[in-house]
Amino acid sequence: MSLPDKQGHFGGFGGKYVPETLMALLEDLEKIFKSLKSDKKFKREFDFYLREYAGRPTILYHAVRLSAHLRTLKVYLKREDLLHTGAHKINNTLGQVLVAKRMGKTRIIAETGAGQHGVATATAAALMGLKCVIYMGTEDIVRQALNVDRMRLLGAEVVPVTSGSRTLKDAMNEAIRDWVTNVENTFYIIGSVAGPHPYPVMVRDFQAVIGREARRQFLTKEKKLPDYLLACVGGGSNAMGLFHAFFKDRHVRMIGVEAAGYGLNTKRHAAPLAKGGVGVLHGSRSQLLETKDGQVIIAHSVAAGLDYPGVGPEHSYYKKIGRAEYVSITDKEAINGLKLLSVKEGIIPALETAHAVAYLEKLARRVKRKASVIVCLSGRGDKDMDAIKGFIK
């Protein structure tokens, strides 16, 4: 059986848990997206923008000095940080804006945490001449001030969200409220493989170019497939973008890295796959940080893009069937990972990506022989300099 099923479920995860107002819109979106997947003109247009505008294909770079430091690992970095706007998010926003235009929508809305999805959405909307509104928690507006300025310069309205934890979850809540009110002219671009069906599939398919390229590039360089894939996981779009093309390659081990924050034994983390239960958030059933009576727990991570109490349903499915392993890295470890890549390779990664980089040292101690690994370098660290300058020595 191919997944998701007709209701958008990945082995019990996913689905559509939304107000009746949105059901018809989601059904229309699913039909249009399915038709566009086999539409050669749409594919040519999407490929054109990925290549000529975003800068694909991205490099698969052998990190020689980092590999020497780790000793047991030969590390390749999939350089999504080199894309226009500085992260993998542009792959998805270009695709969804093209879908929005096919649906006749004139207004784009989105949520953002680290600001990279907001910047990518504002960029794609500006490119296509569409009005753009970005919802962002006030906590993240402070942490990611540079990206706020970039969004506004691109012509987007940035709406501060003051409810709840004032971070990504709450920004998504407000974006959904806007969408329910303005379904006629508005298209909601979700930034990760989360949300109601068909968003997890649509975002995965637009991001799957990462894994297709990486697989082809690694085979060319090494004449074999890698032993490991490694990527950070918040909602999980960069990880799913890398993992998807390797799903049937059972000997390739996939590792997603969640944010352990202050530690998994504290209440200050963002690791629903490690410490959560199954619940419904933002229209989808998946692993979720929640109390015994079903209240969503506020997540924490030093990386604003991982500061989310849920995760994409396909990641929950991967964990359930044992196809992927999910581990966690603390704030302190992530900052050390950022420093490590910076000094060893001259590449400053985003704090989100730094979680995956930090796990390399733990993975290096696990392997018993020389092994190869592809790390999805999902974004660059310019946006995080204010947040980490107190840790630079």
Side-chain angles (χ1 to χ4, degrees):
M1 180 180 69
S2 61
L3 291 174
D5 63 19
K6 291 182 179 180
Q7 287 72 46
H9 289 102
F10 297 89
F13 302 105
K16 282 185 288 217
Y17 299 85
V18 296
E20 199 63 34
T21 319
L22 296 178
M23 287 300 288
L25 178 64
L26 288 171
E27 288 168 5
D28 285 345
L29 175 58
E30 183 180 1
K31 289 176 185 175
I32 289 169
F33 178 62
K34 280 184 177 179
S35 70
L36 290 177
K37 286 177 73 171
S38 58
D39 185 323
K40 292 181 180 179
K41 182 179 178 182
F42 178 84
K43 187 177 185 304
R44 282 196 303 270
E45 188 176 15
F46 180 47
D47 288 347
F48 169 81
Y49 283 113
L50 286 179
R51 183 180 65 253
E52 302 293 330
Y53 186 74
R56 303 211 72 90
T58 57
I59 296 164
L60 184 68
Y61 168 68
H62 177 205
V64 177
R65 293 193 67 239
L66 179 60
S67 299
H69 169 76
L70 295 166
R71 296 186 179 181
T72 58
L73 291 177
K74 188 173 187 178
V75 180
Y76 280 88
L77 305 175
K78 184 57 173 158
R79 296 291 308 275
E80 297 298 292
D81 61 313
L82 296 179
L83 286 172
H84 180 44
T85 73
H88 71 292
K89 296 293 188 179
I90 192 70
N91 302 322
N92 172 50
T93 60
L94 286 172
Q96 287 202 52
V97 162
L98 290 174
V99 174
K101 288 194 73 176
R102 290 293 184 98
M103 295 179 72
K105 303 300 183 181
T106 58
R107 180 174 178 264
I108 300 296
I109 62 172
E111 84 295 331
T112 197
Q116 288 301 101
H117 175 59
V119 169
T121 300
T123 298
L127 176 66
M128 302 293 176
L130 300 175
K131 183 178 180 181
C132 183
V133 178
I134 307 294
Y135 288 90
M136 191 172 190
T138 52
E139 177 76 13
D140 291 335
I141 285 175
V142 173
R143 290 196 286 183
Q144 303 293 335
L146 174 62
N147 276 343
V148 175
D149 291 339
R150 293 170 75 194
M151 286 182 270
R152 287 172 174 157
L153 181 60
L154 289 159
E157 178 187 357
V158 180
V159 178
V161 176
T162 59
S163 58
S165 60
R166 307 184 302 282
T167 56
L168 182 57
K169 171 183 72 71
D170 312 289
M172 200 166 182
N173 289 341
E174 292 304 317
I176 290 172
R177 289 189 184 101
D178 182 321
W179 192 28
V180 170
T181 307
N182 299 288
V183 291
E184 293 300 319
N185 71 332
T186 296
F187 188 95
Y188 179 21
I189 297 184
I190 292 179
S192 197
V193 286
H197 182 65
Y199 278 99
V201 178
M202 185 164 59
V203 177
R204 178 200 70 193
D205 287 356
F206 287 141
Q207 293 291 3
V209 64
I210 301 171
R212 290 196 301 270
E213 284 181 7
R215 193 178 190 280
R216 183 170 63 248
Q217 291 166 327
F218 196 91
L219 281 169
T220 299
K221 290 175 181 288
E222 296 285 344
K223 313 303 179 191
K224 62 176 184 176
L225 292 177
D227 297 300
Y228 294 92
L229 305 176
L230 190 61
C232 65
V233 175
S237 66
N238 91 93
M240 194 54 65
L242 178 62
F243 292 174
H244 186 59
F246 294 86
F247 181 79
K248 294 180 181 179
D249 302 307
R250 296 290 173 169
H251 63 287
V252 178
R253 297 181 63 180
M254 304 174 179
I255 303 175
V257 185
E258 293 189 294
Y262 290 0
L264 293 183
N265 294 324
T266 73
K267 295 181 180 180
R268 300 279 287 161
H269 63 78
L273 288 164
K275 298 291 283 187
V278 178
V280 174
L281 178 65
H282 298 139
S284 179
R285 187 173 187 268
S286 191
Q287 289 289 124
L288 177 64
L289 295 177
E290 60 181 352
T291 63
K292 291 180 180 179
D293 60 353
Q295 298 300 307
V296 177
I297 295 172
I298 294 174
H300 163 78
S301 172
V302 69
L306 303 184
D307 202 348
Y308 185 62
V311 67
E314 196 165 3
H315 282 294
S316 291
Y317 174 68
Y318 274 28
K319 181 182 179 183
K320 179 181 178 181
I321 65 172
R323 184 60 191 92
E325 175 188 2
Y326 295 91
V327 297
S328 58
I329 284 292
T330 65
D331 290 350
K332 184 178 179 179
E333 289 170 330
I335 291 166
N336 288 336
L338 186 149
K339 291 179 181 177
L340 176 66
L341 189 61
S342 299
V343 300
K344 292 299 181 185
E345 295 293 343
I347 299 170
I348 303 173
L351 273 170
E352 292 77 17
T353 307
H355 284 71
V357 174
Y359 190 73
L360 282 169
E361 297 205 277
K362 294 186 178 183
L363 180 61
R365 293 193 291 269
R366 282 175 46 180
V367 299
K368 296 179 180 178
R369 57 176 177 80
K370 191 77 171 181
S372 56
V373 56
I374 297 176
V375 181
C376 187
L377 198 63
S378 56
R380 66 178 187 234
D382 311 41
K383 67 183 180 62
D384 295 313
M385 294 311 296
D386 279 347
I388 66 166
K389 61 187 178 185
F391 299 97
I392 299 172
K393 294 181 181 179

